[in-house]
Amino acid sequence: MGREVVAYGQSALDKSITTGKALLTAKSIQEVVELQNDFLKSSFDSMLAETSRLQELTTKVTNEALAPLNARVTATVETFSKPLAA
């Protein structure tokens, strides 16, 4: 999970630097506005996609981590639900 978040952060930083360089070479206010709008839209879309992907990954990891505990609880419940031998 940590690596995924760091990779996304690095990608976002790279995109910010590229956009910043493009803004410095813009020849008009209109071009600056267009660059900013494009950057904001792509950043927002990227963030939504990454959030969704990380949510799915978190759910998967949590389910895998809880699987042994769930199995143990199920076995214990089955043991206690059996009638005692006389």
Side-chain angles (χ1 to χ4, degrees), residues 9 26 54:
L54 286 175

Side-chain angles (χ1 to χ4, degrees), residues 9-86:
Q10 181 64 47
S11 172
L13 179 62
D14 292 344
K15 192 182 295 186
S16 295
I17 291 170
T18 301
T19 301
K21 287 178 181 178
L23 287 170
L24 291 174
T25 61
K27 296 185 183 356
S28 68
I29 296 294
Q30 180 64 31
E31 188 178 352
V32 168
V33 170
E34 288 174 6
L35 286 168
Q36 286 179 328
N37 284 340
D38 291 344
F39 173 72
L40 289 174
K41 183 180 180 326
S42 69
S43 293
F44 185 73
D45 291 344
S46 175
M47 182 190 65
L48 287 179
E50 187 67 16
T51 300
S52 177
R53 194 177 73 73
L54 286 175
Q55 182 180 14
E56 290 171 5
L57 184 60
T58 301
T59 301
K60 179 183 174 201
V61 168
T62 301
N63 287 338
E64 289 173 359
L66 291 177
L69 181 60
N70 287 338
R72 191 70 183 142
V73 168
T74 300
T76 302
V77 168
E78 288 174 358
T79 299
F80 284 120
S81 65
K82 291 179 183 176
L84 294 174

